[in-house]
Amino acid sequence: MVSFDNTQIAFSSKNSADLKRSYWLFKMVSNPALVNMGKSLTTFAIKTHLPIKGIIKATIFKQFCGGEDIKECDKTIGLLGKFNIGTILDYSVEGKESESDFDACMNETIATIEKAKGNKHIPFCVFKVTGLARHELLEKVSAKQTLNAGEIKEFERVHVRVNNICKTANSNNVPILIDAEESSTQQAMDDLANEMMGLYNRTKVIVYNTYQLYRKDRLSYLQESFALAEKGNHMLGAKLVRGAYMEKERKRAAAMNYPSPIHDKKEDADEDYNKALRFCIDHIDKIGICAGTHNEKSSMYLVELMKEKNIAPSHPHIYFSQLLGMSDHISYNLAEAGYNVAKYVPYGPVKEVLPYLIRRAQENTSVKGQTGRELSLIIKEKERRKNK
Ligand SMILES: Cc1cc2nc3c(=O)[nH]c(=O)nc-3n(C[C@H](O)[C@H](O)[C@H](O)COP(=O)(O)OP(=O)(O)OC[C@H]3O[C@@H](n4cnc5c(N)ncnc54)[C@H](O)[C@@H]3O)c2cc1C
């Protein structure tokens, strides 16, 4: 029986000093005023070249990131690997808009694939299409607007970048995840993902698209994608997530006066997420799943579905995935029980991954003074070690 309550297993990779550092970090970010102040101060300090990189690197960066480059992630890859948890190297540099940046991002993703080749500790690689293309161009393509001659050439280059990544993933036998993003750009990404799956998922699942089940239309889109895969005689790769852009989506829909694509209630997103899991499990011989979630109920539901269908925990088509530094109680307990688990391990120069780190801090601030989940798990484990 898997249980997510076992904090001894959850924190088995952390010595007392690590646990203490995590405790203070989550304690600090639980204070919303401190997080807001920290966000402004850090942004100011980085802009004015104040020497704060060392502090960030030893604290919040150490909790949530693997390193500043691929080489620096080796320690994290090894440590996770010791506990049978895979690494998904996630180059987390955001907000770049030039053609040379897009080429650099493609090359970096290809470097992660080369690193993953034949390495059992790196079961997937990942990329975001907005790392390879301008947001506005993707919006235009998604809305089926007419592109001018320059934009047609520009989108051809995007296509080449995506294909270079997927082709390299295929030739190195490394599955590749394509992250989902805002709904205004998603159509272009879905079309690219479907094309890549058609090309490279002929006999095994190499390319995975991401389905955001907080969207009202994504459960039926997942089913449509499967029908398309069946028709095209290829396999479907499906990373299932709830979705990370809820506030932005709602704001955009309100400002532009169209119905929000996001479910009105969290329970509806939860229900669709679990239905999507069931749908994939029902077709597991032809679908590869990566369940990207920190939700205990959904993770346990997937375990139960696997049991119900007599599917071995280590079935190569089923992975559970969480972010580094979060929900170790899910990742480590699942891995200990023999399930396939991989952590997203973000990396990049400290300055560049700052927006990612600020989001993680904001996500862990206290709601109405309650102790957050990560903090309460750490407190429980500290107590357990004290009373041992
Ligand atoms: C490995 C991994 C990969 C990921 N990849 C992506 C990706 O490619 N694209 C992406 O967008 N996100 C991605 N995410 C983030 C993910 O979409 C969620 O934001 C995050 O994991 C929190 O959701 P949860 O399933 O963990 O659980 P929970 O904490 O139970 O759910 C929180 C989520 O529920 C949804 N929600 C909350 N309130 C409401 C409401 N009132 N109505 C409707 N929905 C609501 C939101 O999506 C919110 O993020 C990834 C997460 C992980 C762990």
Side-chain angles (χ1 to χ4, degrees), residues 266-314:
K266 166 93 169 43
E267 300 79 66
D268 295 339
D270 293 345
E271 196 182 318
D272 273 8
Y273 191 90
N274 290 357
K275 282 185 178 162
L277 286 175
R278 179 170 278 282
F279 179 80
C280 292
I281 287 292
D282 283 344
H283 302 94
I284 200 60
D285 49 332
K286 292 170 178 174
I287 303 183
I289 316 174
C290 176
T293 181
H294 296 153
N295 186 295
E296 291 163 16
K297 282 192 185 150
S298 291
S299 304
M300 198 51 92
Y301 182 61
L302 180 51
V303 167
E304 281 159 12
L305 284 174
M306 290 170 73
K307 280 205 180 116
E308 186 188 307
K309 298 257 178 185
N310 259 327
I311 299 173
S314 61

Tab-separated table of all heavy atoms in Angstrom, residues 266-314:
chain	number	residue	atom	x	y	z
A	266	LYS	N	-13.104	24.661	-9.076
A	266	LYS	CA	-11.948	23.752	-8.946
A	266	LYS	C	-12.408	22.295	-9.065
A	266	LYS	O	-11.740	21.470	-9.701
A	266	LYS	CB	-11.271	24.012	-7.588
A	266	LYS	CG	-10.263	22.966	-7.128
A	266	LYS	CD	-8.874	23.328	-7.533
A	266	LYS	CE	-7.726	22.555	-6.956
A	266	LYS	NZ	-7.748	21.131	-6.836
A	267	GLU	N	-13.578	21.978	-8.461
A	267	GLU	CA	-14.043	20.577	-8.474
A	267	GLU	C	-14.225	20.072	-9.908
A	267	GLU	O	-14.003	18.893	-10.186
A	267	GLU	CB	-15.396	20.412	-7.755
A	267	GLU	CG	-15.415	20.809	-6.290
A	267	GLU	CD	-15.508	22.316	-6.105
A	267	GLU	OE1	-16.550	22.897	-6.468
A	267	GLU	OE2	-14.539	22.917	-5.624
A	268	ASP	N	-14.626	20.971	-10.811
A	268	ASP	CA	-14.818	20.529	-12.200
A	268	ASP	C	-13.471	20.200	-12.852
A	268	ASP	O	-13.362	19.245	-13.629
A	268	ASP	CB	-15.554	21.610	-13.008
A	268	ASP	CG	-16.972	21.813	-12.487
A	268	ASP	OD1	-17.495	20.887	-11.827
A	268	ASP	OD2	-17.548	22.898	-12.704
A	269	ALA	N	-12.459	21.014	-12.504
A	269	ALA	CA	-11.109	20.725	-13.027
A	269	ALA	C	-10.611	19.393	-12.452
A	269	ALA	O	-10.047	18.557	-13.177
A	269	ALA	CB	-10.150	21.859	-12.660
A	270	ASP	N	-10.873	19.194	-11.152
A	270	ASP	CA	-10.453	17.938	-10.503
A	270	ASP	C	-11.131	16.743	-11.172
A	270	ASP	O	-10.505	15.714	-11.444
A	270	ASP	CB	-10.821	17.938	-9.006
A	270	ASP	CG	-10.018	18.980	-8.226
A	270	ASP	OD1	-9.010	19.468	-8.766
A	270	ASP	OD2	-10.423	19.304	-7.095
A	271	GLU	N	-12.439	16.885	-11.423
A	271	GLU	CA	-13.199	15.778	-12.017
A	271	GLU	C	-12.668	15.451	-13.412
A	271	GLU	O	-12.460	14.280	-13.747
A	271	GLU	CB	-14.676	16.182	-12.089
A	271	GLU	CG	-15.583	15.000	-12.322
A	271	GLU	CD	-17.035	15.432	-12.444
A	271	GLU	OE1	-17.481	16.298	-11.662
A	271	GLU	OE2	-17.707	14.908	-13.357
A	272	ASP	N	-12.421	16.493	-14.212
A	272	ASP	CA	-11.914	16.245	-15.566
A	272	ASP	C	-10.517	15.627	-15.522
A	272	ASP	O	-10.168	14.796	-16.360
A	272	ASP	CB	-11.885	17.546	-16.381
A	272	ASP	CG	-13.221	17.785	-17.066
A	272	ASP	OD1	-14.175	17.036	-16.775
A	272	ASP	OD2	-13.323	18.722	-17.891
A	273	TYR	N	-9.720	16.058	-14.544
A	273	TYR	CA	-8.371	15.500	-14.433
A	273	TYR	C	-8.467	13.991	-14.213
A	273	TYR	O	-7.818	13.201	-14.907
A	273	TYR	CB	-7.589	16.165	-13.289
A	273	TYR	CG	-6.118	15.805	-13.321
A	273	TYR	CD1	-5.219	16.584	-14.039
A	273	TYR	CD2	-5.642	14.665	-12.680
A	273	TYR	CE1	-3.873	16.234	-14.121
A	273	TYR	CE2	-4.306	14.310	-12.751
A	273	TYR	CZ	-3.418	15.098	-13.472
A	273	TYR	OH	-2.103	14.741	-13.557
A	274	ASN	N	-9.323	13.604	-13.276
A	274	ASN	CA	-9.417	12.177	-12.965
A	274	ASN	C	-10.050	11.391	-14.112
A	274	ASN	O	-9.652	10.244	-14.382
A	274	ASN	CB	-10.170	11.973	-11.647
A	274	ASN	CG	-9.323	12.449	-10.465
A	274	ASN	OD1	-8.172	12.868	-10.642
A	274	ASN	ND2	-9.872	12.391	-9.263
A	275	LYS	N	-11.007	12.028	-14.816
A	275	LYS	CA	-11.587	11.342	-15.983
A	275	LYS	C	-10.522	11.144	-17.063
A	275	LYS	O	-10.500	10.132	-17.765
A	275	LYS	CB	-12.742	12.166	-16.550
A	275	LYS	CG	-14.029	12.020	-15.747
A	275	LYS	CD	-15.150	12.756	-16.439
A	275	LYS	CE	-16.455	12.596	-15.685
A	275	LYS	NZ	-17.440	13.622	-16.084
A	276	ALA	N	-9.647	12.135	-17.208
A	276	ALA	CA	-8.575	12.025	-18.208
A	276	ALA	C	-7.630	10.873	-17.835
A	276	ALA	O	-7.205	10.107	-18.706
A	276	ALA	CB	-7.806	13.338	-18.299
A	277	LEU	N	-7.343	10.754	-16.534
A	277	LEU	CA	-6.494	9.632	-16.092
A	277	LEU	C	-7.147	8.313	-16.471
A	277	LEU	O	-6.520	7.417	-17.020
A	277	LEU	CB	-6.287	9.674	-14.570
A	277	LEU	CG	-5.345	10.741	-14.005
A	277	LEU	CD1	-5.360	10.695	-12.481
A	277	LEU	CD2	-3.915	10.555	-14.515
A	278	ARG	N	-8.462	8.218	-16.182
A	278	ARG	CA	-9.170	6.964	-16.479
A	278	ARG	C	-9.144	6.667	-17.978
A	278	ARG	O	-8.879	5.549	-18.406
A	278	ARG	CB	-10.606	6.998	-15.956
A	278	ARG	CG	-11.355	5.702	-16.279
A	278	ARG	CD	-12.682	5.571	-15.598
A	278	ARG	NE	-12.599	5.095	-14.231
A	278	ARG	CZ	-12.403	3.820	-13.887
A	278	ARG	NH1	-12.238	2.886	-14.799
A	278	ARG	NH2	-12.380	3.461	-12.618
A	279	PHE	N	-9.393	7.716	-18.773
A	279	PHE	CA	-9.405	7.520	-20.225
A	279	PHE	C	-8.048	6.968	-20.702
A	279	PHE	O	-7.992	6.014	-21.484
A	279	PHE	CB	-9.722	8.842	-20.940
A	279	PHE	CG	-9.717	8.718	-22.435
A	279	PHE	CD1	-10.822	8.186	-23.108
A	279	PHE	CD2	-8.599	9.075	-23.183
A	279	PHE	CE1	-10.807	8.036	-24.496
A	279	PHE	CE2	-8.580	8.924	-24.564
A	279	PHE	CZ	-9.685	8.409	-25.222
A	280	CYS	N	-6.975	7.565	-20.202
A	280	CYS	CA	-5.640	7.122	-20.634
A	280	CYS	C	-5.365	5.696	-20.165
A	280	CYS	O	-4.831	4.874	-20.925
A	280	CYS	CB	-4.560	8.065	-20.098
A	280	CYS	SG	-4.636	9.690	-20.853
A	281	ILE	N	-5.732	5.397	-18.928
A	281	ILE	CA	-5.495	4.042	-18.409
A	281	ILE	C	-6.305	3.018	-19.215
A	281	ILE	O	-5.832	1.916	-19.490
A	281	ILE	CB	-5.823	3.987	-16.893
A	281	ILE	CG1	-4.740	4.718	-16.099
A	281	ILE	CG2	-5.980	2.548	-16.400
A	281	ILE	CD1	-3.383	4.049	-16.099
A	282	ASP	N	-7.508	3.410	-19.620
A	282	ASP	CA	-8.336	2.495	-20.427
A	282	ASP	C	-7.681	2.168	-21.777
A	282	ASP	O	-8.067	1.203	-22.432
A	282	ASP	CB	-9.725	3.105	-20.673
A	282	ASP	CG	-10.614	2.991	-19.437
A	282	ASP	OD1	-10.275	2.192	-18.537
A	282	ASP	OD2	-11.636	3.702	-19.363
A	283	HIS	N	-6.754	3.038	-22.223
A	283	HIS	CA	-6.095	2.803	-23.522
A	283	HIS	C	-4.583	2.742	-23.365
A	283	HIS	O	-3.833	3.198	-24.235
A	283	HIS	CB	-6.474	3.924	-24.504
A	283	HIS	CG	-7.940	4.047	-24.728
A	283	HIS	ND1	-8.732	4.917	-24.017
A	283	HIS	CD2	-8.769	3.376	-25.566
A	283	HIS	CE1	-9.982	4.789	-24.399
A	283	HIS	NE2	-10.046	3.853	-25.336
A	284	ILE	N	-4.136	2.175	-22.235
A	284	ILE	CA	-2.728	2.313	-21.855
A	284	ILE	C	-1.763	1.646	-22.840
A	284	ILE	O	-0.585	2.022	-22.921
A	284	ILE	CB	-2.492	1.817	-20.403
A	284	ILE	CG1	-1.179	2.397	-19.853
A	284	ILE	CG2	-2.560	0.322	-20.272
A	284	ILE	CD1	-1.115	3.887	-19.805
A	285	ASP	N	-2.251	0.686	-23.620
A	285	ASP	CA	-1.328	0.080	-24.590
A	285	ASP	C	-0.963	1.062	-25.700
A	285	ASP	O	0.067	0.918	-26.356
A	285	ASP	CB	-1.928	-1.208	-25.179
A	285	ASP	CG	-3.363	-1.008	-25.653
A	285	ASP	OD1	-4.054	-0.130	-25.094
A	285	ASP	OD2	-3.771	-1.711	-26.597
A	286	LYS	N	-1.800	2.115	-25.875
A	286	LYS	CA	-1.535	3.047	-26.985
A	286	LYS	C	-1.279	4.486	-26.522
A	286	LYS	O	-1.113	5.395	-27.337
A	286	LYS	CB	-2.733	3.056	-27.938
A	286	LYS	CG	-2.890	1.746	-28.673
A	286	LYS	CD	-4.197	1.729	-29.406
A	286	LYS	CE	-4.342	0.428	-30.182
A	286	LYS	NZ	-5.678	0.345	-30.788
A	287	ILE	N	-1.300	4.694	-25.204
A	287	ILE	CA	-1.057	6.053	-24.680
A	287	ILE	C	0.044	6.001	-23.621
A	287	ILE	O	0.044	5.118	-22.758
A	287	ILE	CB	-2.337	6.655	-24.018
A	287	ILE	CG1	-3.510	6.685	-25.006
A	287	ILE	CG2	-2.054	8.069	-23.494
A	287	ILE	CD1	-4.789	7.327	-24.453
A	288	GLY	N	0.967	6.951	-23.696
A	288	GLY	CA	1.950	7.123	-22.614
A	288	GLY	C	1.481	8.284	-21.758
A	288	GLY	O	1.140	9.345	-22.288
A	289	ILE	N	1.429	8.083	-20.438
A	289	ILE	CA	0.937	9.146	-19.547
A	289	ILE	C	2.071	9.694	-18.689
A	289	ILE	O	2.864	8.922	-18.139
A	289	ILE	CB	-0.079	8.627	-18.486
A	289	ILE	CG1	-1.104	7.682	-19.081
A	289	ILE	CG2	-0.729	9.779	-17.757
A	289	ILE	CD1	-1.998	7.079	-17.990
A	290	CYS	N	2.094	11.002	-18.525
A	290	CYS	CA	2.924	11.601	-17.479
A	290	CYS	C	1.962	12.447	-16.647
A	290	CYS	O	1.416	13.443	-17.152
A	290	CYS	CB	4.023	12.451	-18.120
A	290	CYS	SG	5.013	13.318	-16.894
A	291	ALA	N	1.699	12.012	-15.411
A	291	ALA	CA	0.743	12.735	-14.562
A	291	ALA	C	1.498	13.815	-13.789
A	291	ALA	O	2.114	13.537	-12.761
A	291	ALA	CB	0.049	11.766	-13.610
A	292	GLY	N	1.473	15.033	-14.301
A	292	GLY	CA	2.182	16.160	-13.678
A	292	GLY	C	1.276	16.818	-12.650
A	292	GLY	O	0.512	17.721	-12.993
A	293	THR	N	1.342	16.347	-11.426
A	293	THR	CA	0.434	16.889	-10.412
A	293	THR	C	0.999	16.758	-9.003
A	293	THR	O	1.730	15.816	-8.709
A	293	THR	CB	-0.954	16.191	-10.483
A	293	THR	OG1	-1.811	16.776	-9.500
A	293	THR	CG2	-0.872	14.698	-10.245
A	294	HIS	N	0.614	17.716	-8.156
A	294	HIS	CA	0.941	17.644	-6.723
A	294	HIS	C	-0.309	17.284	-5.923
A	294	HIS	O	-0.313	17.381	-4.700
A	294	HIS	CB	1.488	18.995	-6.232
A	294	HIS	CG	2.785	19.371	-6.874
A	294	HIS	ND1	3.201	20.660	-7.031
A	294	HIS	CD2	3.780	18.602	-7.413
A	294	HIS	CE1	4.375	20.674	-7.643
A	294	HIS	NE2	4.740	19.445	-7.889
A	295	ASN	N	-1.359	16.934	-6.633
A	295	ASN	CA	-2.619	16.626	-5.961
A	295	ASN	C	-2.581	15.173	-5.455
A	295	ASN	O	-2.438	14.230	-6.249
A	295	ASN	CB	-3.771	16.835	-6.955
A	295	ASN	CG	-5.122	16.670	-6.312
A	295	ASN	OD1	-5.461	15.570	-5.873
A	295	ASN	ND2	-5.885	17.734	-6.260
A	296	GLU	N	-2.732	15.033	-4.131
A	296	GLU	CA	-2.617	13.690	-3.543
A	296	GLU	C	-3.731	12.774	-4.035
A	296	GLU	O	-3.504	11.596	-4.331
A	296	GLU	CB	-2.678	13.783	-2.015
A	296	GLU	CG	-1.462	14.449	-1.427
A	296	GLU	CD	-1.680	14.917	-0.001
A	296	GLU	OE1	-2.645	14.484	0.656
A	296	GLU	OE2	-0.869	15.746	0.456
A	297	LYS	N	-4.958	13.339	-4.113
A	297	LYS	CA	-6.101	12.486	-4.494
A	297	LYS	C	-5.929	11.973	-5.926
A	297	LYS	O	-6.178	10.800	-6.207
A	297	LYS	CB	-7.404	13.280	-4.383
A	297	LYS	CG	-7.881	13.407	-2.962
A	297	LYS	CD	-9.289	13.929	-2.922
A	297	LYS	CE	-9.709	14.174	-1.488
A	297	LYS	NZ	-10.682	15.251	-1.379
A	298	SER	N	-5.506	12.856	-6.832
A	298	SER	CA	-5.336	12.410	-8.223
A	298	SER	C	-4.209	11.386	-8.325
A	298	SER	O	-4.316	10.412	-9.078
A	298	SER	CB	-5.022	13.598	-9.145
A	298	SER	OG	-6.138	14.420	-9.257
A	299	SER	N	-3.125	11.631	-7.581
A	299	SER	CA	-2.005	10.680	-7.636
A	299	SER	C	-2.449	9.317	-7.100
A	299	SER	O	-2.144	8.277	-7.686
A	299	SER	CB	-0.815	11.207	-6.822
A	299	SER	OG	-0.451	12.480	-7.286
A	300	MET	N	-3.215	9.342	-5.995
A	300	MET	CA	-3.693	8.078	-5.416
A	300	MET	C	-4.716	7.423	-6.352
A	300	MET	O	-4.746	6.197	-6.477
A	300	MET	CB	-4.311	8.353	-4.037
A	300	MET	CG	-4.447	7.135	-3.162
A	300	MET	SD	-2.923	6.178	-3.015
A	300	MET	CE	-2.196	6.892	-1.566
A	301	TYR	N	-5.524	8.260	-7.020
A	301	TYR	CA	-6.516	7.715	-7.948
A	301	TYR	C	-5.819	6.952	-9.089
A	301	TYR	O	-6.259	5.872	-9.486
A	301	TYR	CB	-7.372	8.856	-8.504
A	301	TYR	CG	-8.464	8.417	-9.443
A	301	TYR	CD1	-9.474	7.547	-9.018
A	301	TYR	CD2	-8.491	8.850	-10.772
A	301	TYR	CE1	-10.476	7.133	-9.892
A	301	TYR	CE2	-9.494	8.437	-11.643
A	301	TYR	CZ	-10.478	7.584	-11.199
A	301	TYR	OH	-11.458	7.165	-12.060
A	302	LEU	N	-4.707	7.512	-9.552
A	302	LEU	CA	-3.971	6.825	-10.623
A	302	LEU	C	-3.418	5.487	-10.114
A	302	LEU	O	-3.481	4.467	-10.815
A	302	LEU	CB	-2.843	7.733	-11.149
A	302	LEU	CG	-1.960	7.170	-12.269
A	302	LEU	CD1	-2.775	6.610	-13.427
A	302	LEU	CD2	-1.004	8.246	-12.789
A	303	VAL	N	-2.917	5.489	-8.877
A	303	VAL	CA	-2.442	4.229	-8.275
A	303	VAL	C	-3.590	3.214	-8.246
A	303	VAL	O	-3.426	2.037	-8.625
A	303	VAL	CB	-1.913	4.490	-6.839
A	303	VAL	CG1	-1.707	3.186	-6.074
A	303	VAL	CG2	-0.618	5.284	-6.876
A	304	GLU	N	-4.788	3.687	-7.808
A	304	GLU	CA	-5.940	2.765	-7.704
A	304	GLU	C	-6.365	2.248	-9.072
A	304	GLU	O	-6.679	1.068	-9.238
A	304	GLU	CB	-7.115	3.487	-7.024
A	304	GLU	CG	-6.945	3.549	-5.515
A	304	GLU	CD	-7.776	4.642	-4.882
A	304	GLU	OE1	-8.661	5.209	-5.559
A	304	GLU	OE2	-7.514	4.942	-3.693
A	305	LEU	N	-6.365	3.143	-10.067
A	305	LEU	CA	-6.727	2.709	-11.431
A	305	LEU	C	-5.772	1.620	-11.912
A	305	LEU	O	-6.186	0.639	-12.533
A	305	LEU	CB	-6.657	3.886	-12.395
A	305	LEU	CG	-7.794	4.907	-12.360
A	305	LEU	CD1	-7.478	6.079	-13.292
A	305	LEU	CD2	-9.106	4.253	-12.803
A	306	MET	N	-4.498	1.816	-11.614
A	306	MET	CA	-3.503	0.821	-12.049
A	306	MET	C	-3.762	-0.520	-11.371
A	306	MET	O	-3.680	-1.569	-11.998
A	306	MET	CB	-2.078	1.333	-11.746
A	306	MET	CG	-1.682	2.500	-12.631
A	306	MET	SD	-0.150	3.299	-12.100
A	306	MET	CE	1.077	2.097	-12.585
A	307	LYS	N	-4.104	-0.446	-10.084
A	307	LYS	CA	-4.384	-1.688	-9.347
A	307	LYS	C	-5.609	-2.374	-9.935
A	307	LYS	O	-5.619	-3.582	-10.172
A	307	LYS	CB	-4.652	-1.368	-7.881
A	307	LYS	CG	-3.382	-1.146	-7.117
A	307	LYS	CD	-3.577	-1.444	-5.630
A	307	LYS	CE	-2.280	-1.211	-4.903
A	307	LYS	NZ	-2.363	-0.116	-3.938
A	308	GLU	N	-6.655	-1.557	-10.153
A	308	GLU	CA	-7.924	-2.077	-10.688
A	308	GLU	C	-7.707	-2.834	-12.000
A	308	GLU	O	-8.310	-3.863	-12.243
A	308	GLU	CB	-8.839	-0.867	-10.915
A	308	GLU	CG	-10.257	-1.156	-11.329
A	308	GLU	CD	-10.952	0.157	-11.688
A	308	GLU	OE1	-10.940	1.112	-10.879
A	308	GLU	OE2	-11.518	0.229	-12.817
A	309	LYS	N	-6.792	-2.338	-12.818
A	309	LYS	CA	-6.555	-2.958	-14.133
A	309	LYS	C	-5.374	-3.922	-14.100
A	309	LYS	O	-4.873	-4.317	-15.169
A	309	LYS	CB	-6.263	-1.864	-15.158
A	309	LYS	CG	-7.391	-0.891	-15.358
A	309	LYS	CD	-8.101	-1.201	-16.647
A	309	LYS	CE	-9.271	-0.267	-16.823
A	309	LYS	NZ	-10.074	-0.587	-17.986
A	310	ASN	N	-4.860	-4.182	-12.894
A	310	ASN	CA	-3.712	-5.085	-12.780
A	310	ASN	C	-2.498	-4.613	-13.566
A	310	ASN	O	-1.796	-5.428	-14.194
A	310	ASN	CB	-4.089	-6.475	-13.293
A	310	ASN	CG	-4.367	-7.375	-12.123
A	310	ASN	OD1	-3.751	-7.224	-11.072
A	310	ASN	ND2	-5.309	-8.293	-12.299
A	311	ILE	N	-2.261	-3.331	-13.547
A	311	ILE	CA	-1.103	-2.784	-14.275
A	311	ILE	C	0.065	-2.685	-13.297
A	311	ILE	O	-0.084	-2.128	-12.201
A	311	ILE	CB	-1.440	-1.387	-14.860
A	311	ILE	CG1	-2.603	-1.497	-15.858
A	311	ILE	CG2	-0.225	-0.754	-15.512
A	311	ILE	CD1	-3.122	-0.165	-16.355
A	312	ALA	N	1.211	-3.193	-13.704
A	312	ALA	CA	2.385	-3.166	-12.808
A	312	ALA	C	2.791	-1.725	-12.528
A	312	ALA	O	2.726	-0.873	-13.429
A	312	ALA	CB	3.540	-3.901	-13.470
A	313	PRO	N	3.230	-1.436	-11.268
A	313	PRO	CA	3.657	-0.059	-10.943
A	313	PRO	C	4.708	0.477	-11.908
A	313	PRO	O	4.731	1.672	-12.209
A	313	PRO	CB	4.238	-0.192	-9.532
A	313	PRO	CG	3.580	-1.388	-8.959
A	313	PRO	CD	3.304	-2.327	-10.103
A	314	SER	N	5.570	-0.412	-12.400
A	314	SER	CA	6.668	0.076	-13.248
A	314	SER	C	6.314	0.059	-14.741
A	314	SER	O	7.212	0.107	-15.587
A	314	SER	CB	7.893	-0.806	-13.013
A	314	SER	OG	7.565	-2.146	-13.370
